[in-house]
């Protein structure tokens, strides 16, 4: 399995390729807010670990292994955003919270969160009921 840092790069490369059809070192560096030299080093490591194929000055492409991991990482990120939204986390906190927790959960936990998101999505009244409970708890905390 890739390290959390490797995951961030794979996820970003996957998203860039999905969006633009390609991923350049400069784009990856800009999106991850790191130096291009750091991207080059990580891309070389990802190439050695067979997540992508990289040719200096030519670009990179994800291998089937890299695509599979990238797709799963994007799913994890989007799922955690959905989950935090459902449980009522403020919109302006969701992205940073997902970034803070996504590497610390097992895939078993991610799958269970997926079950819970599905549970709430299947019947919107469940979300409404949760909001009522949250309002009640907030009122009690203010007393």
């Amino acid at each position: 399995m890739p390290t959390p840092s490797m995951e961030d790069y794979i996820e970003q490369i996957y998203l860039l390729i999905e969006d633009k059809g390609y991923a350049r070192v400069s784009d990856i560096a800009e999106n991850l807010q790191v130096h291009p030299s750091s991207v080059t080093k990580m891309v070389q490591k990802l190439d050695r670990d067979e997540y992508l194929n990289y040719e200096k000055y030519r670009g990179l492409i994800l291998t089937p292994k890299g695509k599979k991991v990238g797709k799963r990482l994007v799913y994890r990120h989007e799922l955690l955003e959905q989950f935090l939204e459902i449980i009522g986390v403020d919109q302006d906190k969701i992205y940073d919270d997902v970034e803070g927790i996504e590497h610390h959960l097992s895939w078993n936990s991610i799958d269970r969160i997926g079950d819970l998101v599905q549970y709430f999505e299947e019947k919107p009244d469940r979300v409404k009921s949760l909001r009522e409970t949250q309002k009640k708890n907030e009122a009690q905390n203010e007393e």
Side-chain angles (χ1 to χ4, degrees):
M1 282 304 291
T3 66
S5 181
M6 292 167 72
E7 286 182 347
D8 286 339
Y9 280 86
I10 294 168
E11 181 180 6
Q12 195 55 235
I13 292 166
Y14 181 88
L15 287 169
L16 283 165
I17 291 172
E18 286 292 303
D19 184 46
K20 297 168 74 172
Y22 60 90
R24 298 181 312 196
V25 167
S26 59
D27 296 327
I28 299 164
E30 181 181 330
N31 289 0
L32 292 176
Q33 298 178 342
V34 298
H35 292 288
S37 60
S38 298
V39 175
T40 299
K41 287 177 189 171
M42 179 59 80
V43 164
Q44 290 168 343
K45 179 170 179 35
L46 292 171
D47 183 40
R48 282 191 305 274
D49 291 350
E50 300 179 349
Y51 290 103
L52 56 81
N53 292 320
Y54 173 68
E55 291 183 39
K56 194 172 184 177
Y57 307 117
R58 304 252 349 177
L60 55 94
I61 58 169
L62 289 170
T63 62
K65 174 182 172 181
K67 284 181 189 175
K68 182 178 178 182
V69 171
K71 186 175 184 176
R72 183 100 164 123
L73 295 172
V74 169
Y75 164 78
R76 176 180 71 187
H77 190 101
E78 291 173 351
L79 178 69
L80 290 171
E81 284 183 351
Q82 283 180 281
F83 173 68
L84 294 180
E85 189 173 314
I86 286 171
I87 64 171
V89 173
D90 294 339
Q91 278 298 132
D92 64 331
K93 305 243 186 300
I94 288 177
Y95 181 82
D96 288 339
D97 285 354
V98 168
E99 288 298 311
I101 65 174
E102 67 183 339
H103 300 296
H104 301 284
L105 295 172
S106 68
W107 285 104
N108 182 255
S109 293
I110 297 296
D111 291 340
R112 297 301 66 81
I113 289 170
D115 296 341
L116 191 58
V117 167
Q118 182 180 348
Y119 171 82
F120 279 106
E121 287 181 337
E122 285 175 349
K123 295 192 179 174
D125 284 351
R126 292 172 176 159
V127 175
K128 183 179 175 187
S129 179
L130 175 63
R131 294 290 177 267
E132 290 169 4
T133 299
Q134 289 170 330
K135 283 181 185 177
K136 184 175 76 175
N137 289 339
E138 286 175 9
Q140 287 175 349
N141 289 337
E142 291 175 0
E143 293 175 0

